[in-house]
Amino acid sequence: MDARHFDRINAFVEARLTPLFDPETGSEHGFGMDDTSRALRALRNTALAAAAVKGLVAQRATAEPQLRGVIDQALEQNWDVLRGIARHWEDHPDFAREFKLDWWSLTEAPAATA
């Protein structure tokens, strides 16, 4: 497991969400109290929280077996959250095949982007 997978999927999600906060979309930079602004903030906060796993990835390799099982569960849950969000843009040209994989399939460093 490489933390760069989380960095890549989070960057993909952020790139899809950030334009939605622009005034051209009718947004008040996402700080309005309308339901759309609230939903955007909630989605962004969910994605950011799910991507904050670098410490867990770093501890995983040296963790004792019981702790490693807990770390694996946390990584799986967070990856599934990000993967579920990212798959809404599966038809986007920047969508990477790795965003469809189960977390345990992500054993190697992510492929370099073209």
Side-chain angles (χ1 to χ4, degrees), residues 16-62:
R16 308 292 75 76
L17 294 178
T18 299
L20 301 177
F21 285 87
D22 289 342
E24 292 81 27
T25 66
S27 173
E28 297 174 24
H29 296 291
F31 294 108
M33 293 311 290
D34 59 288
D35 285 344
T36 300
S37 293
R38 291 175 188 193
L40 286 172
R41 288 193 306 270
L43 183 58
R44 175 174 270 166
N45 289 341
T46 299
L48 289 173
V53 297
K54 286 186 181 183
L56 289 176
V57 173
Q59 291 178 9
R60 184 178 184 269
T62 59

Side-chain angles (χ1 to χ4, degrees), residues 28-112:
E28 297 174 24
H29 296 291
F31 294 108
M33 293 311 290
D34 59 288
D35 285 344
T36 300
S37 293
R38 291 175 188 193
L40 286 172
R41 288 193 306 270
L43 183 58
R44 175 174 270 166
N45 289 341
T46 299
L48 289 173
V53 297
K54 286 186 181 183
L56 289 176
V57 173
Q59 291 178 9
R60 184 178 184 269
T62 59
E64 294 180 17
Q66 285 183 317
L67 180 57
R68 187 175 181 153
V70 173
I71 291 171
D72 286 349
Q73 288 175 352
L75 292 173
E76 179 179 8
Q77 170 65 28
N78 289 345
W79 180 258
D80 284 348
V81 167
L82 290 168
R83 182 175 66 161
I85 295 170
R87 288 191 73 171
H88 287 280
W89 289 279
E90 197 169 343
D91 60 341
H92 192 279
D94 293 339
F95 186 87
R97 187 184 81 73
E98 74 187 89
F99 302 160
K100 293 174 96 172
L101 298 175
D102 292 315
W103 79 274
W104 57 83
S105 300
L106 304 172
T107 57
E108 299 175 10

